[in-house]
Amino acid sequence: MIRIRHADESPHEASEINVTPFIDVMLVLLVIFMVTAPLTTVNVPVDLPSSSEKPAPRPDDPVFLTVKADHSLALGEDPMETSGLRPALERATKGNHDERIFLRADKSGDYGTLMGVMDRLRSAGYLKVALVNLQGQEEGSEAVSQPILAAGDAP
């Protein structure tokens, strides 16, 4: 018995990977992520609980830096220029960069000015900054200033 071999019967290996299904899956995933990404960034209104934690105790000799409504600065009770912030802080803290600086700002001031002062504090080496606010008071009534510790600070 004689057997005739055809050319298509010889086994051969595919030397290239077919990437078409891979590309199809990637394109489908791309479309899915493009559609769902904007939906994940929507702010959801939430009524957050308030903290009943007592304010941190005030140190014996705190260093207060105040940003006034006219964007000028005061260290303690003394007005100062922005350019002289670093040497004035060095004198007030006696060179102790671990001392907490209590930052007060007028509520009519803008956020950019406050962030600029905080950047100057950071560049001067003062990383412990407490923001001071009035706690538990109605608008316009007299209140006692209480420090609110910045994120990551321990009392």
Side-chain angles (χ1 to χ4, degrees):
M1 182 162 162
I2 299 178
R3 184 164 185 154
I4 301 175
R5 290 184 83 194
H6 296 285
D8 57 21
E9 287 182 20
S10 63
H12 64 354
E13 294 182 23
S15 61
E16 295 180 15
I17 298 174
N18 187 2
V19 293
T20 305
F22 177 72
I23 292 173
D24 290 343
V25 169
M26 287 295 124
L27 288 175
V28 168
L29 288 175
L30 178 67
V31 169
I32 290 171
F33 287 127
M34 286 175 58
V35 169
T36 60
L39 299 177
T40 60
T41 59
V42 174
N43 292 332
V44 177
V46 182
D47 187 16
L48 296 175
S50 62
S51 173
S52 61
E53 184 69 24
K54 292 182 180 178
R58 184 173 172 173
D60 295 333
D61 191 21
V63 178
F64 282 99
L65 180 63
T66 305
V67 181
K68 298 179 186 176
D70 62 353
H71 305 282
S72 63
L73 297 177
L75 186 60
E77 300 293 322
D78 305 323
M80 60 174 298
E81 295 294 322
T82 306
S83 59
L85 181 62
R86 183 184 298 248
L89 284 172
E90 292 289 333
R91 284 191 303 275
T93 62
K94 299 172 185 71
N96 182 8
H97 289 267
D98 288 333
E99 188 167 342
R100 178 166 287 121
I101 307 298
F102 292 92
L103 183 60
R104 302 184 306 171
D106 191 276
K107 69 179 178 180
S108 64
D110 64 300
Y111 185 71
T113 303
L114 181 65
M115 291 307 298
V117 171
M118 289 181 75
D119 283 343
R120 287 184 179 273
L121 286 172
R122 185 181 308 128
S123 68
Y126 295 93
L127 302 178
K128 292 184 176 181
V129 176
L131 302 176
V132 179
N133 74 343
L134 301 177
Q135 271 190 318
Q137 297 299 115
E138 295 291 323
E139 272 301 310
S141 64
E142 293 295 320
V144 178
S145 296
Q146 295 294 330
I148 300 298
L149 297 180
D153 285 348

